[in-house]
Amino acid sequence: MLEEEVLAEFRASKALLEGHFLLSSGRHSAHYLQCARVLMNPDRAARLAVAIAAKLPHDIRKQIDKVVSPAMGGVIIGQEMGRALQVDAMFVERPTGTFELRRGFALEPGDKVLMVEDVVTTGLSSREAIKAIEEAGGKVIAAVSLVDRSAGSVDLGVPFFPLVALNFPTYAPDELPPELAARPAVKPGSRAQA
């Protein structure tokens, strides 16, 4: 899938939003990709997962034992990646602020894991999820996402294969351009802001 085809999927589902958004990273942006909307259609979610799977190098793809994604944003695309790769999919969540496997999910020691995200901006949640997976006995051999908002600058410590890398500008609170500062910020993500 080409970048324009991916963005067309976001536009078709009204998942590419414009305004003033406070991202979970604490940075501000005039654009927000609401992956929950693009994934709400099962056929579209399956198409996107197959496209991500196609980007994985064959030598990595054939090693994957399990897919693990961080809740909430990664749950749907993680499930679809499990289906596309024909492996079990599970998720980590933060009941007390730190990612952990729950709900009877478990990894066998040495399971080779693909960590699946919806959007990566700074990589913080992804790195926290990778740490939790490794603490649970898994070995993260690669990570994927629908969107890399860092446009290729993020380092997750493992090979990273986003479906599309975008570079929508983001701003620190004290760097807002006047047109953004003039509008109230909306917090569209699922993670609570500090």
Coordinates of all heavy atoms in Angstrom, one line a residue, residues 97-187:
G97 N -0.5 1.9 35.9 CA 0.4 2.9 35.3 C 1.6 2.3 34.6 O 2.3 3.0 33.8
T98 N 1.8 1.0 34.7 CA 2.9 0.3 34.1 C 2.3 -0.9 33.3 O 1.5 -1.6 33.8 CB 3.9 -0.3 35.1 OG1 4.3 0.8 35.9 CG2 5.1 -0.9 34.4
F99 N 2.8 -1.0 32.0 CA 2.3 -2.1 31.2 C 2.5 -3.5 31.8 O 3.6 -3.7 32.3 CB 2.9 -2.1 29.8 CG 2.3 -1.1 28.8 CD1 3.1 -0.1 28.2 CD2 0.9 -1.1 28.6 CE1 2.5 0.8 27.3 CE2 0.3 -0.2 27.7 CZ 1.1 0.7 27.0
E100 N 1.5 -4.4 31.6 CA 1.7 -5.7 32.0 C 0.7 -6.6 31.3 O -0.3 -6.1 30.8 CB 1.5 -5.9 33.6 CG 0.1 -5.5 34.0 CD 0.0 -5.5 35.6 OE1 0.4 -4.5 36.2 OE2 -0.6 -6.5 36.0
L101 N 1.0 -7.9 31.2 CA 0.1 -8.9 30.6 C -0.9 -9.2 31.7 O -0.5 -9.4 32.9 CB 0.8 -10.1 30.2 CG 1.6 -10.0 28.9 CD1 2.5 -11.3 28.7 CD2 0.8 -9.8 27.7
R102 N -2.2 -9.3 31.4 CA -3.3 -9.7 32.3 C -4.2 -10.6 31.6 O -4.0 -11.0 30.5 CB -4.0 -8.4 32.8 CG -3.1 -7.5 33.6 CD -3.8 -6.3 34.1 NE -5.0 -6.7 34.7 CZ -5.8 -6.0 35.4 NH1 -5.6 -4.7 35.6 NH2 -6.9 -6.4 36.0
R103 N -5.4 -10.8 32.2 CA -6.5 -11.6 31.5 C -6.1 -13.0 31.1 O -6.7 -13.5 30.2 CB -7.1 -10.8 30.4 CG -7.5 -9.4 30.7 CD -7.9 -8.6 29.5 NE -8.0 -7.2 29.9 CZ -9.1 -6.6 30.2 NH1 -10.2 -7.2 30.2 NH2 -9.1 -5.3 30.5
G104 N -5.1 -13.5 31.8 CA -4.7 -14.9 31.4 C -3.7 -14.9 30.3 O -3.3 -16.0 29.9
F105 N -3.3 -13.8 29.7 CA -2.3 -13.8 28.7 C -1.0 -14.1 29.3 O -0.6 -13.7 30.4 CB -2.2 -12.4 28.0 CG -3.4 -11.9 27.2 CD1 -3.7 -10.6 27.2 CD2 -4.1 -12.8 26.5 CE1 -4.8 -10.2 26.4 CE2 -5.2 -12.4 25.8 CZ -5.5 -11.1 25.7
A106 N -0.2 -14.9 28.6 CA 1.2 -15.3 29.0 C 2.0 -15.6 27.8 O 1.5 -16.0 26.8 CB 1.1 -16.5 29.9
L107 N 3.3 -15.4 28.0 CA 4.3 -15.7 26.9 C 5.1 -16.8 27.4 O 5.4 -16.9 28.6 CB 5.2 -14.5 26.7 CG 4.5 -13.3 26.0 CD1 5.4 -12.1 26.1 CD2 4.1 -13.6 24.6
E108 N 5.5 -17.7 26.5 CA 6.4 -18.8 26.9 C 7.8 -18.2 26.9 O 8.1 -17.3 26.1 CB 6.4 -19.9 25.8 CG 5.0 -20.6 25.8 CD 4.7 -21.3 27.1 OE1 5.6 -21.9 27.7 OE2 3.5 -21.3 27.5
P109 N 8.7 -18.6 27.7 CA 10.1 -18.1 27.7 C 10.7 -18.2 26.3 O 10.7 -19.2 25.7 CB 10.8 -18.9 28.7 CG 9.8 -19.4 29.6 CD 8.5 -19.6 28.8
G110 N 11.2 -17.0 25.8 CA 11.8 -17.0 24.5 C 10.9 -16.8 23.3 O 11.3 -16.8 22.2
D111 N 9.6 -16.7 23.6 CA 8.6 -16.5 22.5 C 9.1 -15.3 21.7 O 9.5 -14.2 22.3 CB 7.2 -16.1 23.0 CG 6.3 -17.4 23.1 OD1 6.7 -18.5 22.6 OD2 5.2 -17.2 23.7
K112 N 9.2 -15.4 20.4 CA 9.6 -14.3 19.5 C 8.3 -13.5 19.2 O 7.3 -14.0 18.6 CB 10.2 -14.8 18.2 CG 11.6 -15.4 18.6 CD 12.3 -15.8 17.3 CE 13.7 -16.3 17.6 NZ 13.7 -17.7 18.2
V113 N 8.4 -12.2 19.6 CA 7.2 -11.3 19.6 C 7.3 -10.2 18.6 O 8.4 -9.5 18.5 CB 6.9 -10.8 21.0 CG1 5.8 -9.8 21.0 CG2 6.7 -11.9 22.0
L114 N 6.2 -9.9 17.9 CA 6.1 -8.7 17.1 C 5.2 -7.7 17.9 O 4.1 -8.1 18.3 CB 5.4 -9.0 15.8 CG 5.1 -7.8 14.9 CD1 6.4 -7.2 14.3 CD2 4.1 -8.2 13.7
M115 N 5.8 -6.6 18.2 CA 5.0 -5.6 19.0 C 4.3 -4.7 18.0 O 4.9 -4.2 17.0 CB 6.0 -4.7 19.9 CG 5.3 -3.9 20.9 SD 4.5 -2.4 20.4 CE 5.8 -1.5 19.7
V116 N 3.0 -4.5 18.1 CA 2.1 -3.8 17.2 C 1.5 -2.6 17.8 O 0.8 -2.7 18.8 CB 1.1 -4.8 16.6 CG1 0.2 -4.1 15.6 CG2 1.7 -6.0 16.0
E117 N 1.7 -1.5 17.2 CA 1.1 -0.2 17.6 C 0.2 0.4 16.5 O 0.3 0.0 15.4 CB 2.2 0.8 17.9 CG 2.8 0.8 19.3 CD 2.0 1.7 20.2 OE1 0.7 1.8 20.1 OE2 2.5 2.2 21.2
D118 N -0.7 1.3 16.9 CA -1.4 2.1 15.9 C -0.6 3.2 15.4 O -0.3 3.3 14.3 CB -2.8 2.5 16.5 CG -2.8 3.3 17.7 OD1 -1.7 3.5 18.4 OD2 -3.8 3.8 18.1
V119 N -0.2 4.2 16.3 CA 0.6 5.3 16.0 C 1.8 5.4 16.9 O 1.6 5.3 18.1 CB -0.2 6.6 16.1 CG1 0.6 7.8 15.8 CG2 -1.4 6.6 15.1
V120 N 2.9 5.7 16.3 CA 4.1 6.0 17.1 C 4.5 7.4 16.9 O 4.7 7.9 15.7 CB 5.3 5.0 16.7 CG1 6.6 5.4 17.4 CG2 4.9 3.6 17.0
T121 N 4.7 8.2 18.0 CA 5.1 9.6 17.9 C 6.5 9.7 18.5 O 7.5 10.0 17.8 CB 4.1 10.6 18.5 OG1 2.8 10.4 17.9 CG2 4.5 12.0 18.3
T122 N 6.6 9.6 19.8 CA 7.9 9.6 20.4 C 8.5 8.3 20.7 O 9.7 8.1 21.0 CB 7.8 10.4 21.8 OG1 6.9 9.6 22.7 CG2 7.2 11.8 21.6
G123 N 7.6 7.2 20.7 CA 8.1 5.9 21.0 C 8.0 5.5 22.4 O 8.3 4.3 22.8
L124 N 7.6 6.4 23.3 CA 7.5 6.1 24.7 C 6.6 4.9 25.0 O 7.1 3.9 25.7 CB 7.0 7.3 25.5 CG 6.9 7.1 27.0 CD1 8.2 6.8 27.7 CD2 6.2 8.4 27.6
S125 N 5.4 4.9 24.6 CA 4.5 3.7 24.9 C 5.1 2.5 24.3 O 5.0 1.4 24.9 CB 3.1 4.0 24.3 OG 2.5 5.0 25.0
S126 N 5.6 2.6 23.1 CA 6.2 1.4 22.4 C 7.3 0.8 23.2 O 7.4 -0.4 23.4 CB 6.6 1.7 21.0 OG 5.6 2.2 20.2
R127 N 8.2 1.6 23.7 CA 9.4 1.2 24.5 C 8.9 0.6 25.8 O 9.4 -0.4 26.3 CB 10.4 2.3 24.7 CG 11.2 2.6 23.4 CD 12.3 3.6 23.7 NE 11.9 4.9 24.1 CZ 11.5 5.9 23.3 NH1 11.5 5.7 22.0 NH2 11.1 7.0 23.8
E128 N 7.9 1.2 26.4 CA 7.3 0.7 27.6 C 6.7 -0.7 27.4 O 6.8 -1.6 28.2 CB 6.3 1.6 28.2 CG 6.9 2.9 28.8 CD 5.9 3.9 29.2 OE1 4.7 3.8 29.0 OE2 6.3 5.0 29.8
A129 N 6.0 -0.9 26.3 CA 5.4 -2.2 26.0 C 6.4 -3.2 25.7 O 6.3 -4.4 26.2 CB 4.5 -2.0 24.7
I130 N 7.5 -2.8 25.0 CA 8.6 -3.8 24.7 C 9.2 -4.2 26.0 O 9.5 -5.4 26.2 CB 9.6 -3.1 23.8 CG1 9.0 -3.0 22.4 CG2 10.9 -3.9 23.7 CD1 9.8 -2.1 21.4
K131 N 9.4 -3.3 26.9 CA 10.0 -3.7 28.3 C 9.1 -4.7 29.0 O 9.6 -5.7 29.5 CB 10.2 -2.4 29.1 CG 10.8 -2.7 30.5 CD 10.9 -1.4 31.3 CE 11.5 -1.7 32.6 NZ 11.3 -0.6 33.6
A132 N 7.8 -4.4 29.0 CA 6.8 -5.3 29.6 C 6.8 -6.7 29.0 O 6.8 -7.8 29.7 CB 5.4 -4.7 29.6
I133 N 6.9 -6.8 27.7 CA 7.0 -8.0 26.9 C 8.2 -8.8 27.3 O 8.1 -10.0 27.6 CB 6.9 -7.8 25.4 CG1 5.5 -7.2 25.0 CG2 7.2 -9.1 24.6 CD1 5.5 -6.6 23.6
E134 N 9.3 -8.1 27.4 CA 10.6 -8.8 27.7 C 10.6 -9.3 29.2 O 11.1 -10.3 29.5 CB 11.8 -7.9 27.3 CG 11.8 -7.8 25.8 CD 12.9 -7.0 25.3 OE1 13.6 -6.2 26.0 OE2 13.2 -7.1 24.0
E135 N 10.0 -8.5 30.1 CA 9.9 -8.9 31.5 C 9.0 -10.1 31.6 O 9.1 -10.8 32.6 CB 9.4 -7.7 32.3 CG 10.4 -6.6 32.5 CD 9.9 -5.4 33.2 OE1 8.7 -5.3 33.5 OE2 10.8 -4.5 33.5
A136 N 8.1 -10.3 30.7 CA 7.2 -11.4 30.7 C 7.7 -12.7 30.0 O 7.1 -13.7 29.9 CB 5.8 -11.0 30.1
G137 N 9.0 -12.5 29.6 CA 9.7 -13.7 29.0 C 9.8 -13.7 27.5 O 10.4 -14.6 26.9
G138 N 9.1 -12.7 26.8 CA 9.2 -12.7 25.4 C 10.4 -12.0 24.9 O 11.1 -11.3 25.6
K139 N 10.7 -12.2 23.6 CA 11.8 -11.5 22.9 C 11.2 -10.7 21.7 O 10.8 -11.3 20.8 CB 12.9 -12.5 22.4 CG 13.9 -12.0 21.4 CD 15.2 -11.8 22.0 CE 16.3 -11.3 21.0 NZ 16.3 -9.9 20.9
V140 N 11.2 -9.4 21.8 CA 10.7 -8.6 20.8 C 11.7 -8.6 19.6 O 12.8 -8.1 19.8 CB 10.3 -7.2 21.2 CG1 9.8 -6.3 20.1 CG2 9.3 -7.3 22.4
I141 N 11.3 -9.1 18.5 CA 12.2 -9.2 17.3 C 12.0 -8.1 16.3 O 12.8 -7.8 15.5 CB 12.2 -10.5 16.6 CG1 10.8 -10.9 16.1 CG2 12.7 -11.6 17.6 CD1 10.8 -12.1 15.2
A142 N 10.8 -7.4 16.4 CA 10.5 -6.3 15.6 C 9.2 -5.6 16.1 O 8.5 -6.1 16.9 CB 10.3 -6.7 14.1
A143 N 9.0 -4.4 15.6 CA 7.8 -3.6 15.9 C 7.2 -3.1 14.6 O 8.0 -2.8 13.6 CB 8.1 -2.4 16.8
V144 N 5.9 -2.9 14.6 CA 5.2 -2.3 13.4 C 4.2 -1.4 13.9 O 3.8 -1.4 15.1 CB 4.5 -3.4 12.5 CG1 5.6 -4.3 11.9 CG2 3.5 -4.2 13.3
S145 N 3.7 -0.5 13.0 CA 2.6 0.4 13.4 C 1.9 0.8 12.1 O 2.5 0.7 11.0 CB 3.1 1.7 14.1 OG 3.8 2.5 13.3
L146 N 0.7 1.3 12.2 CA 0.0 1.9 11.1 C 0.8 3.1 10.6 O 1.0 3.3 9.5 CB -1.4 2.3 11.4 CG -2.5 1.2 11.5 CD1 -3.7 1.7 12.1 CD2 -2.7 0.7 10.1
V147 N 1.1 4.0 11.6 CA 1.7 5.3 11.3 C 2.9 5.6 12.2 O 2.8 5.4 13.4 CB 0.6 6.4 11.5 CG1 1.2 7.8 11.3 CG2 -0.6 6.2 10.7
D148 N 3.9 6.1 11.6 CA 5.1 6.6 12.3 C 5.0 8.1 12.2 O 5.4 8.6 11.1 CB 6.4 6.0 11.8 CG 7.6 6.7 12.3 OD1 7.5 7.4 13.3 OD2 8.7 6.4 11.8
R149 N 4.6 8.8 13.2 CA 4.5 10.3 13.2 C 5.9 10.9 13.3 O 6.0 12.1 13.2 CB 3.6 10.8 14.3 CG 2.1 10.7 13.9 CD 1.3 11.5 14.8 NE 1.7 12.9 14.7 CZ 0.8 13.9 14.7 NH1 -0.5 13.7 14.7 NH2 1.2 15.2 14.6
S150 N 6.9 10.1 13.7 CA 8.2 10.7 13.8 C 8.9 10.8 12.5 O 10.0 11.3 12.4 CB 9.1 9.9 14.8 OG 9.6 8.7 14.1
A151 N 8.3 10.3 11.4 CA 8.9 10.3 10.1 C 10.2 9.7 10.1 O 11.1 10.1 9.4 CB 9.0 11.8 9.5
G152 N 10.4 8.6 10.8 CA 11.6 7.8 10.8 C 12.6 8.1 11.8 O 13.7 7.5 11.8
S153 N 12.4 9.1 12.7 CA 13.4 9.5 13.6 C 13.3 8.7 14.9 O 14.3 8.7 15.7 CB 13.3 11.0 13.9 OG 12.1 11.2 14.7
V154 N 12.3 7.9 15.2 CA 12.1 7.2 16.5 C 13.0 6.0 16.5 O 13.2 5.3 15.5 CB 10.6 6.9 16.7 CG1 10.2 5.7 15.9 CG2 10.4 6.6 18.2
D155 N 13.5 5.7 17.7 CA 14.4 4.5 17.9 C 13.7 3.7 19.0 O 13.6 4.1 20.1 CB 15.8 4.9 18.3 CG 16.7 3.7 18.6 OD1 16.2 2.5 18.4 OD2 17.8 3.9 19.0
L156 N 13.2 2.5 18.6 CA 12.5 1.6 19.5 C 13.4 0.5 20.1 O 13.0 -0.3 20.9 CB 11.3 1.0 18.9 CG 10.2 1.9 18.3 CD1 9.0 1.2 17.7 CD2 9.7 2.9 19.4
G157 N 14.6 0.5 19.6 CA 15.6 -0.5 20.0 C 15.4 -1.9 19.3 O 16.2 -2.8 19.6
V158 N 14.5 -2.0 18.4 CA 14.3 -3.2 17.6 C 14.0 -2.7 16.2 O 13.6 -1.5 16.0 CB 13.1 -4.0 18.1 CG1 13.4 -4.6 19.5 CG2 11.8 -3.3 18.1
P159 N 14.1 -3.5 15.2 CA 13.7 -3.1 13.8 C 12.2 -2.7 13.8 O 11.4 -3.3 14.4 CB 13.9 -4.4 13.0 CG 14.9 -5.2 13.7 CD 14.6 -4.9 15.2
F160 N 11.9 -1.5 13.1 CA 10.6 -0.9 13.1 C 10.1 -0.7 11.7 O 10.8 -0.2 10.9 CB 10.7 0.4 13.9 CG 9.4 1.2 13.9 CD1 8.2 0.6 14.2 CD2 9.5 2.6 13.7 CE1 7.0 1.4 14.2 CE2 8.3 3.3 13.8 CZ 7.1 2.7 14.0
F161 N 8.9 -1.2 11.4 CA 8.4 -1.2 10.1 C 7.0 -0.6 10.1 O 6.0 -1.3 10.2 CB 8.3 -2.6 9.5 CG 9.6 -3.3 9.5 CD1 10.0 -4.2 10.6 CD2 10.5 -3.1 8.5 CE1 11.2 -4.8 10.6 CE2 11.8 -3.8 8.5 CZ 12.1 -4.6 9.5
P162 N 6.9 0.7 10.0 CA 5.5 1.4 10.0 C 5.0 1.2 8.6 O 5.7 1.1 7.6 CB 5.8 2.8 10.3 CG 7.2 3.0 9.8 CD 7.9 1.7 10.0
L163 N 3.6 1.2 8.5 CA 3.0 1.2 7.2 C 3.2 2.5 6.4 O 3.5 2.5 5.3 CB 1.5 0.9 7.3 CG 0.7 0.8 6.0 CD1 1.2 -0.3 5.1 CD2 -0.8 0.6 6.3
V164 N 3.2 3.6 7.2 CA 3.4 4.9 6.6 C 4.1 5.8 7.6 O 3.8 5.7 8.8 CB 2.1 5.6 6.1 CG1 1.2 5.9 7.2 CG2 2.4 6.8 5.3
A165 N 5.1 6.6 7.2 CA 5.8 7.6 8.0 C 5.4 9.0 7.6 O 5.5 9.3 6.4 CB 7.3 7.4 7.9
L166 N 4.8 9.7 8.5 CA 4.3 11.0 8.2 C 5.1 12.0 9.1 O 5.6 11.7 10.2 CB 2.8 11.2 8.5 CG 1.9 10.2 7.8 CD1 0.5 10.3 8.3 CD2 2.0 10.5 6.3
N167 N 5.1 13.3 8.6 CA 5.9 14.3 9.4 C 5.0 15.5 9.6 O 5.3 16.6 9.1 CB 7.2 14.7 8.7 CG 8.0 15.5 9.5 OD1 7.9 15.6 10.7 ND2 9.0 16.1 8.9
F168 N 3.8 15.3 10.2 CA 3.0 16.4 10.6 C 3.8 17.1 11.7 O 4.2 16.5 12.7 CB 1.6 16.0 11.2 CG 0.7 15.4 10.1 CD1 0.0 14.2 10.4 CD2 0.5 15.9 8.9 CE1 -0.8 13.6 9.5 CE2 -0.3 15.4 8.0 CZ -1.0 14.2 8.3
P169 N 4.0 18.4 11.6 CA 4.8 19.1 12.7 C 4.1 19.0 14.0 O 2.8 19.0 14.1 CB 4.8 20.6 12.2 CG 4.4 20.5 10.8 CD 3.6 19.3 10.6
T170 N 4.9 18.9 15.1 CA 4.4 18.9 16.4 C 5.2 20.0 17.2 O 6.3 20.3 16.8 CB 4.5 17.6 17.2 OG1 5.9 17.2 17.3 CG2 3.8 16.4 16.4
Y171 N 4.6 20.5 18.2 CA 5.2 21.7 18.9 C 5.1 21.5 20.5 O 4.1 20.9 21.0 CB 4.4 22.9 18.6 CG 4.2 23.2 17.1 CD1 3.1 22.7 16.4 CD2 5.2 23.8 16.4 CE1 2.9 23.0 15.1 CE2 5.1 24.0 15.0 CZ 4.0 23.6 14.4 OH 3.8 23.8 13.0
A172 N 6.1 21.9 21.1 CA 6.1 22.0 22.6 C 5.1 23.1 23.0 O 4.9 24.0 22.2 CB 7.5 22.3 23.1
P173 N 4.6 23.0 24.2 CA 3.6 24.0 24.6 C 4.1 25.5 24.5 O 3.3 26.4 24.2 CB 3.3 23.7 26.1 CG 3.6 22.2 26.2 CD 4.8 22.0 25.2
D174 N 5.4 25.7 24.7 CA 5.9 27.0 24.6 C 6.4 27.4 23.2 O 7.0 28.5 23.0 CB 7.0 27.2 25.6 CG 8.2 26.3 25.4 OD1 8.1 25.4 24.6 OD2 9.3 26.5 26.0
E175 N 6.1 26.6 22.2 CA 6.6 26.8 20.8 C 5.4 26.9 19.8 O 5.6 26.9 18.6 CB 7.5 25.7 20.3 CG 8.7 25.4 21.1 CD 9.4 24.1 20.6 OE1 8.8 23.3 20.0 OE2 10.6 24.0 20.8
L176 N 4.2 27.1 20.3 CA 3.0 27.0 19.5 C 3.0 28.2 18.5 O 3.2 29.3 18.9 CB 1.7 27.1 20.3 CG 1.4 25.9 21.2 CD1 0.1 26.1 22.0 CD2 1.3 24.6 20.4
P177 N 2.7 27.9 17.2 CA 2.6 29.0 16.2 C 1.3 29.7 16.6 O 0.3 29.2 17.2 CB 2.5 28.3 14.9 CG 2.2 26.9 15.2 CD 2.6 26.6 16.6
P178 N 1.2 31.0 16.3 CA 0.0 31.8 16.6 C -1.4 31.2 16.2 O -2.3 31.3 17.0 CB 0.2 33.2 16.0 CG 1.7 33.2 15.7 CD 2.2 31.8 15.5
E179 N -1.4 30.7 15.0 CA -2.7 30.1 14.6 C -3.2 28.9 15.4 O -4.3 28.7 15.6 CB -2.7 29.7 13.1 CG -1.7 28.7 12.7 CD -0.2 29.1 12.5 OE1 0.1 30.3 12.8 OE2 0.6 28.3 12.0
L180 N -2.2 28.1 16.0 CA -2.5 27.0 16.8 C -2.9 27.5 18.2 O -3.8 27.1 18.9 CB -1.4 26.0 16.9 CG -1.7 24.5 16.9 CD1 -2.7 24.1 15.8 CD2 -0.5 23.7 16.9
A181 N -2.1 28.5 18.7 CA -2.3 29.0 20.1 C -3.6 29.7 20.2 O -4.2 29.8 21.3 CB -1.2 30.0 20.4
A182 N -4.2 30.2 19.1 CA -5.5 30.9 19.1 C -6.7 29.9 19.2 O -7.8 30.4 19.5 CB -5.6 31.7 17.8
R183 N -6.4 28.6 19.1 CA -7.5 27.6 19.2 C -7.3 26.8 20.5 O -6.2 26.5 20.8 CB -7.5 26.7 18.0 CG -7.6 27.4 16.7 CD -7.3 26.5 15.5 NE -8.6 25.8 15.2 CZ -8.7 25.0 14.2 NH1 -7.8 24.8 13.3 NH2 -9.9 24.4 14.0
P184 N -8.4 26.4 21.1 CA -8.3 25.5 22.3 C -7.8 24.1 21.8 O -8.2 23.7 20.8 CB -9.7 25.5 22.8 CG -10.6 25.9 21.8 CD -9.8 26.8 20.8
A185 N -7.0 23.5 22.6 CA -6.5 22.2 22.3 C -7.5 21.1 22.8 O -8.1 21.2 23.8 CB -5.1 22.0 23.1
V186 N -7.6 20.1 21.9 CA -8.4 18.9 22.2 C -7.5 17.8 22.5 O -6.5 17.6 21.8 CB -9.3 18.6 21.0 CG1 -10.2 17.4 21.2 CG2 -10.2 19.8 20.7
K187 N -7.9 16.9 23.5 CA -7.1 15.7 23.8 C -7.8 14.5 23.2 O -8.7 13.9 23.9 CB -7.0 15.6 25.3 CG -6.3 16.7 26.0 CD -6.3 16.5 27.5 CE -5.7 17.7 28.2 NZ -5.8 17.6 29.7

